[in-house]
């Protein structure tokens, strides 16, 4: 946005003066720095008002949000549950205690 404001600020400051400009290096530096600062001060609100909202709209038009497929996740969970055998079920507490006793010397 600064590049769009720069020419407007430049012409505004040059045409607003009622006298001619005496150009030397010091005056040129002060004029350049002043024009750059004013351009940035105008560009920040313009960016927030126009460019940022249009960037958000552009994001939704070019890259629409993808829908989450919850049915796929449910189907995977059902298939995994059906594929498990009874052998994978946890053992009874009695068999766990007997195995612990067998391991203890």
């Amino acid at each position: 946005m600064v590049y769009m404001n720069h020419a407007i600020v430049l012409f505004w400051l040059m045409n607003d003066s009622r006298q001619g400009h005496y150009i030397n290096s010091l005056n040129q530096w002060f004029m350049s720095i002043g024009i750059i600062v004013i351009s940035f001060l105008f560009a920040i609100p313009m960016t927030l008002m126009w460019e940022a909202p249009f960037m958000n709209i552009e994001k939704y038009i070019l890259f629409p949000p993808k829908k989450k497929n919850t049915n796929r996740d449910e189907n995977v969970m059902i298939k995994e549950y059906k594929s498990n055998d009874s052998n994978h079920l946890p053992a009874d507490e009695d068999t766990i205690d007997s195995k612990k006793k067998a391991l203890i010397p």
Side-chain angles (χ1 to χ4, degrees):
M1 275 307 203
V2 176
Y3 62 92
M4 297 172 109
N5 291 331
H6 185 73
I8 296 168
V9 171
L10 185 64
F11 289 126
W12 172 55
L13 288 175
M14 291 297 167
N15 291 329
D16 191 42
S17 65
R18 296 179 189 216
Q19 299 177 5
H21 292 280
Y22 179 73
I23 298 177
N24 63 13
S25 62
L26 185 62
N27 287 343
Q28 192 66 30
W29 276 104
F30 282 123
M31 186 66 75
S32 299
I33 292 171
I35 289 171
I36 290 170
V37 168
I38 292 171
S39 296
F40 271 97
L41 289 177
F42 279 122
I44 291 170
M46 287 180 65
T47 300
L48 295 175
M49 286 190 298
W50 288 297
E51 190 174 1
F54 280 108
M55 287 176 65
N56 288 335
I57 292 171
E58 179 183 343
K59 179 176 66 172
Y60 283 112
I61 290 173
L62 294 178
F63 308 107
K66 296 181 180 178
K67 296 179 184 176
K68 292 183 179 179
N69 191 357
T70 57
N71 293 335
R72 183 184 164 276
D73 295 335
E74 291 173 1
N75 291 338
V76 169
M77 290 174 58
I78 291 170
K79 287 178 184 176
E80 286 178 0
Y81 179 74
K82 287 181 180 177
S83 68
N84 286 340
D85 295 336
S86 60
N87 297 338
H88 293 76
L89 296 174
D92 294 329
E93 291 180 15
D94 296 332
T95 56
I96 293 173
D97 289 337
S98 63
K99 287 180 181 178
K100 285 181 182 176
K101 290 179 183 176
L103 293 175
I104 298 174

